[in-house]
Amino acid sequence: MPMLDTDHDPVTFTRKPLDVLIAGSGCGGSLLAWILASQGMRVAMIDPQPHPRFAIGESSTPVADMILADLAARYRLPKLAPLAQYGTWCQVYPQLRRGRKRGFSYFFHAPGKAFQPSPSHTTELLVAASSDDFHCDTHWYRADVDAFLAEAAVEAGAGCIAPATPRQCRYARDRWQVVVETPAGDLAFRSRFLVDASAGRFGTRFLQAGDRTDLLLSRSGAVYTHLRNVRPWRALLENWGAHCQDHPFDCDAAALHHVFPGGWMWQLRFDHGVTSLGVACESSPAALPGAGGCEKIRSFLAQYPSIAAQCEQAQLVDPPGGWVIVERLQRRAARATGTAWAALPSAFAFIDPLHSTGIAHTLSGVERLARILLSTGTDSTQVEQLEQYERQLVSEVALVDELVSAAYANTGNFSRFIAATMLYFTAAIQYECRRKQGLQEQAFLCADDPELFHRLRAACCYLRETASRSDANQRESIENGWDRVRQWIEPYNTVGLLDRDMRNMYRHTVAR
Ligand SMILES: Cc1cc2nc3c(=O)[nH]c(=O)nc-3n(C[C@H](O)[C@H](O)[C@H](O)COP(=O)(O)OP(=O)(O)OC[C@H]3O[C@@H](n4cnc5c(N)ncnc54)[C@H](O)[C@@H]3O)c2cc1C
C-alpha cells in the first residue's frame, strides 16, 4: 500500500489517486477511514457537513460493543478499544459525552389513561444487556463520537474534507472521478474504490443505486429532538407504587420505550442531563395534529398523561432547528454494491430505530468492507466478496424489516408486542454467541442462517396476521401467541425468553 502524506491540506488528497474515497464522515464512514488509513491505505472522506454536528442514532448494543472491541484488536487501534464499554469510555474519554445503557426497558400505555403498573409487571418489560454499570453499553452522543472518529481517521492519515458537497461523479478508466464544492473552491478526487457512507444520499444521486423501498413491510415516521429536564421515569413509577425493586437495572439507564397503540417513544438519557426523545408511529407524523414538531408532540402527550407528566418541565436543547420530522423512516436501495463501489448498511437501507439495530449494523458493515478492501486477493475475488456482502445486506434488511413490522403490528397488545420483541432478542443473542465463538464472517443477526431466518419469519408472519384478531379473543390469542412463538425460537432460546416465570424481567441475556 502507498504511504500517506502527513499533510492534511485537502488539496494533498487530490494530487494522487486515492485507494478509497468515502462519501460521508458519520460514525460508519469515519471508522472505516480510520481502519483503512491505519493499514496504510490512501483514504479521504467528503461530507457536506463539518464536525461537530447533530446526528441521530445513539443507542448502542452488546453487538456493537463486541464489533468495536474486535476491530480495535484486529487492526491494533488502542484508541478505539475504550469505546467498547461504558466504564472504560468514562475513564479514558470523560470529555466524549455519552449515556449509560444497561439494557432495554418497555412500558405500555393505553390512550387517555394513566400508566398502570402491576405487581406482575404485565405493562412492563425489562431486558438486561449487561451485568453491571462498568461493562454495560453506551448511548453515543453522536456530535462528539462522530467528531472523535473523524479526528482519529485524520490522525491516522485519512483526509476529511468537510464541508464538501459532491457535484460530479463518474467512473472511467478504472478510476472514480469525484468533484466536490468547498468554501475554498472545487476539488477533484480520483479513487480506485468508492464507499457510500452517506445514509444513501450520495448513492441515490451518483451511483444509480435505485430505490426498492416498495419491498419493505415496515412503514413508520418519526418526530424527534434532544431535551433537557425529562424526569426520570423510575421516580414517577416509584411515586405510583410500581414494583421497581424487581427491575434488573435502572429502567432509565436504558433504551427506554414507551409503547402505545400504533407506535412508541424512545428516551435515551445522556450523563450531561440531555435526553434524546422521539416518537415513532405507524401513521406518518403528518397524521398527528399540529403544524410543527412541538405541536405534534403536545397533541401526542395530551393522549398519554403519564408521559406528559414526565415531560412537563422538558426544554429543547438541539438540533438548532428544533424538532425533526421524518414522514417515512424506511428506505431501501436496489443495489448495495457495483463496479468498484459499495454501500455501508445504512446507505443501502434503513428500517426503524425500534430495536436499536442501526449502529451495530453499520459497524458490522464497516468490519466486512474493511476486510474486503484490505484483502490482497485478485479483482475477481473482490467482486465475489462484494457480491456476498450484498447478498448478506439484502437478508439482513429483510430480517430487520420482518422483526420491526411484526412488533409494530402488535403495539396495541403489549403481550403480543413482547412476543414480537423476543424474536429480535433471539437473533441478537444468537449473533453475539456466534461472534464469541469466532464466527465474525456471518451476516448481521445471523440473517444468512436459513433455519433461524425461516423460524423468525414464520413467527413474524403469524404475529402480523393474527394481530387484528387479538382484540376479539384476547386471552386465548395472547397465550397462543407466546406458546407458538416459543416453539419457533426453541432451538435458539438459550436464555429462557418468553418464560412466564420471568414476569417480563430478564436479568441474564448476556453472551459476553
Ligand atoms: C430517527 C432515527 C433514530 C435512530 N436511532 C438509532 C438508535 O437508537 N440506535 C442505533 O443503533 N441506530 C439508530 N439509528 C440508525 C443510525 O442513525 C444509523 O445506523 C447510523 O447513523 C449510520 O451511520 P452512518 O455513518 O452510516 O451514517 P450517518 O451517521 O447517517 O452519516 C452519514 C453522513 O453522510 C453525510 N452526507 C449526507 N449527504 C452526503 C452526500 N451527498 N455526500 C457525502 N456525504 C453526505 C452526512 O452529513 C453524514 O455525516 C436511528 C436512525 C434514525 C433515522
Side-chain angles (χ1 to χ4, degrees):
M1 291 299 162
M3 290 306 292
L4 285 154
D5 308 307
T6 48
D7 177 3
H8 293 136
D9 177 356
V11 176
T12 310
F13 296 90
T14 63
R15 288 199 186 113
K16 285 188 277 176
L18 298 163
D19 294 308
V20 182
L21 179 66
I22 302 176
S25 67
C27 58
S30 293
L31 182 57
L32 182 64
W34 182 4
I35 292 169
L36 298 180
S38 76
Q39 303 304 301
M41 276 195 156
R42 198 175 148 74
V43 190
M45 299 174 273
I46 48 170
D47 197 310
Q49 292 220 50
H51 292 278
R53 76 281 184 278
F54 174 88
I56 196 70
E58 300 137 322
S59 158
S60 183
T61 58
V63 166
D65 288 348
M66 277 181 172
I67 300 176
L68 281 180
D70 285 349
L71 290 173
R74 168 178 276 263
Y75 297 110
R76 296 195 182 82
L77 302 174
K79 270 187 72 172
L80 180 63
L83 297 186
Q85 55 189 7
Y86 176 77
T88 47
W89 179 317
C90 294
Q91 279 174 350
V92 180
Y93 299 120
Q95 77 286 6
L96 284 191
R97 288 169 289 183
R98 81 273 121 184
R100 186 165 52 101
K101 183 182 174 192
R102 290 290 311 275
F104 295 80
S105 56
Y106 305 81
F107 301 90
F108 180 71
H109 301 257
K113 294 194 178 144
F115 176 72
Q116 298 286 319
S118 79
S120 52
H121 302 293
T122 49
T123 52
E124 300 167 83
L125 167 67
L126 271 81
V127 183
S130 49
S131 49
D132 59 58
D133 283 356
F134 190 89
H135 299 95
C136 73
D137 305 320
T138 313
H139 298 313
W140 296 14
Y141 192 72
R142 290 286 302 275
D144 289 5
V145 179
D146 291 9
F148 170 84
L149 294 172
E151 270 169 39
V154 169
E155 269 174 38
C160 182
I161 295 95
T165 306
R167 291 290 176 226
Q168 288 172 34
C169 172
R170 68 189 186 104
Y171 188 70
R173 281 175 279 149
D174 294 342
R175 290 278 180 276
W176 287 101
Q177 298 180 18
V178 178
V179 178
V180 299
E181 187 183 308
T182 78
D186 286 2
L187 293 172
F189 297 91
R190 288 160 296 153
S191 181
R192 194 175 55 78
F193 199 91
L194 205 148
V195 172
D196 182 8
S198 72
R201 291 177 190 98
F202 187 91
T204 311
R205 173 140 185 228
F206 295 113
L207 299 172
Q208 285 78 48
D211 182 7
R212 291 310 313 267
T213 307
D214 61 303
L215 295 176
L216 300 176
L217 301 162
S218 306
R219 184 166 195 106
S220 56
V223 185
Y224 59 85
T225 196
H226 279 179
L227 298 169
R228 207 174 275 288
N229 297 334
V230 176
R231 288 176 73 190
W233 181 243
R234 186 183 169 108
L236 293 167
L237 286 180
E238 280 169 349
N239 284 347
W240 299 326
H243 289 61
C244 295
Q245 66 277 16
D246 297 343
H247 289 181
F249 53 88
D250 174 358
C251 61
D252 289 291
L256 188 149
H257 303 63
H258 285 305
V259 181
F260 56 87
W264 62 289
M265 171 189 277
W266 73 81
Q267 291 181 4
L268 312 174
R269 219 163 260 275
F270 297 105
D271 295 348
H272 62 293
V274 168
T275 300
S276 174
L277 180 148
V279 172
C281 43
E282 267 180 312
S283 52
S284 125
L288 284 170
C294 197
E295 292 75 28
K296 287 182 186 299
I297 290 293
R298 281 217 183 93
S299 67
F300 164 79
L301 290 176
Q303 291 184 71
Y304 295 99
S306 303
I307 310 177
Q310 197 194 4
C311 296
E312 93 203 327
Q313 310 282 327
Q315 291 161 329
L316 203 62
V317 182
D318 56 11
W323 292 87
V324 179
I325 302 180
V326 183
E327 289 303 331
R328 186 167 185 197
L329 290 163
Q330 295 72 33
R331 56 181 165 73
R332 181 200 186 277
R335 303 167 64 198
T337 63
T339 306
W341 72 268
L344 281 184
S346 90
F348 171 59
F350 181 69
I351 303 297
D352 192 277
L354 179 60
H355 296 314
S356 300
T357 43
I359 293 176
H361 198 191
T362 298
L363 297 181
S364 80
V366 167
E367 181 179 49
R368 284 173 282 174
L369 278 187
R371 268 184 206 241
I372 295 172
L373 294 171
L374 290 165
S375 75
T376 50
T378 60
D379 283 357
S380 65
T381 316
Q382 188 178 78
V383 169
E384 279 165 29
Q385 289 171 329
L386 288 172
E387 282 169 1
Q388 195 211 356
Y389 171 73
E390 178 162 89
R391 279 195 300 277
Q392 285 185 331
L393 284 197
V394 167
S395 309
E396 291 160 7
V397 169
L399 177 57
V400 173
D401 189 30
E402 288 282 354
L403 297 169
V404 164
S405 61
Y408 267 92
N410 289 281
T411 45
N413 179 323
F414 194 55
S415 276
R416 291 175 59 90
F417 176 83
I418 291 174
T421 300
M422 290 304 164
L423 297 172
Y424 160 70
F425 285 111
T426 304
I429 293 167
Q430 267 307 304
Y431 184 64
E432 290 166 27
C433 290
R434 293 186 199 182
R435 284 192 70 93
K436 277 196 88 180
Q437 293 158 12
L439 299 171
Q440 270 91 356
E441 303 276 333
Q442 68 191 317
F444 178 61
L445 297 181
C446 310
D448 55 358
D449 175 332
E451 170 71 13
L452 177 59
F453 195 114
H454 165 76
R455 285 172 174 270
L456 294 174
R457 175 173 269 167
C460 286
C461 285
Y462 164 77
L463 285 170
R464 270 194 308 270
E465 282 163 14
T466 53
S468 50
R469 280 184 264 146
S470 63
D471 295 334
N473 198 347
Q474 215 173 40
R475 186 168 168 71
E476 192 188 6
S477 71
I478 290 166
E479 290 183 356
N480 284 345
W482 277 40
D483 290 342
R484 295 278 297 268
V485 170
R486 223 183 13 243
Q487 279 168 17
W488 269 305
I489 63 174
E490 197 267 327
Y492 303 95
N493 189 1
T494 49
V495 295
L497 300 174
L498 292 177
D499 177 347
R500 286 193 181 80
D501 292 342
M502 299 272 190
R503 295 186 307 145
N504 297 341
M505 298 288 128
Y506 292 87
R507 281 165 204 282
H508 304 290
T509 59
V510 193
R512 56 186 153 174

